[in-house]
Amino acid sequence: MSAENGTSAGADTGTRAGAGGGARDGLAGGNGLERVNPPHLAPPTGFSHAVRADPGTMVFLAGQTALDGAGRIVGDGIVEQFERALTNLLDVAEAAGAGPSDLVKLTVFAVDVGDYRRHARELGGVWKRLVGGDYPAMAVIGATRLWDETALVEIEGIAVVR
C-alpha cells in the first residue's frame, strides 16, 4: 500500500467493474461480502475501495506485529515482518471464527512507507499466498515508531462473520 493512494502490495485485484458494469463486484464466494469499486475511480491495486457486508458478527482485530510466541520481534526486513504480522492477524481472526475471506478492513502501520513501497511486489506475493485474491478496504499509515520498537509494520483489521 502507498501512503498517497492506499494501494497495497502492487497486486491487481482484477475485480474492477467494467465501463457500464456498475460499481459493485458482487458477492465474493457467497460469503455476504461485496467489493465496491466505482468505475469512475482509479482501479484499485491490491485493495478494494469499499467492502459492504451483509448482517453478521463484527470481529475487531487488534494490531499485530511480527511477534513470535516468546514475545520477540522476528524478521530482518519489512517483507519477513509483514508475513509474520499478517500470519498473526490471520491466526487471531481464525481463533475468533473468521477466515481470510471475512476481512473487510485492514490498516497497515509502517515505520518506513518508502521501504514498504519498494517491496510492494514481494508484499503482494505474501498477501496472495496467505489470503488469496480477495482484498478488503485497506490503508497504509506512516508511523514514527510502533509499540514494539523493533517492529517495522503492524496490521489491524475488522472481519464480518456470518
Side-chain angles (χ1 to χ4, degrees):
M1 278 187 270
S2 74
E4 289 85 22
N5 65 10
T7 60
S8 170
D12 188 353
T13 65
T15 59
R16 182 171 181 250
R24 297 192 174 119
D25 297 328
L27 301 178
N31 68 352
L33 299 181
E34 180 180 22
R35 271 85 176 139
V36 181
N37 295 302
H40 66 280
L41 296 179
T45 303
F47 72 102
S48 290
H49 286 292
V51 178
R52 190 171 102 170
D54 286 345
T57 301
M58 294 181 72
V59 179
F60 296 88
L61 303 165
Q64 299 294 318
T65 59
L67 286 177
D68 66 9
R72 295 180 302 256
I73 296 292
V74 295
D76 293 329
I78 187 78
V79 176
E80 295 85 8
Q81 286 199 20
F82 178 85
E83 181 168 357
R84 183 57 181 249
L86 182 57
T87 298
N88 289 347
L89 184 93
L90 293 172
D91 287 349
V92 170
E94 182 179 16
S101 65
D102 298 318
L103 296 172
V104 296
K105 174 72 173 107
L106 288 183
T107 303
V108 177
F109 299 92
V111 296
D112 184 344
V113 174
D115 189 39
Y116 190 97
R117 287 181 65 145
R118 282 188 294 280
H119 292 91
R121 187 168 302 279
E122 296 163 273
L123 296 169
V126 168
W127 178 270
K128 284 192 173 190
R129 185 168 36 83
L130 296 178
V131 179
D134 287 333
Y135 295 94
M138 296 175 74
V140 127
I141 307 291
T144 56
R145 74 175 284 276
L146 300 170
W147 181 261
D148 298 299
E149 291 185 22
T150 57
L152 303 175
V153 65
E154 183 169 335
I155 308 170
E156 69 174 17
I158 300 171
V160 177
V161 181
R162 280 142 314 280

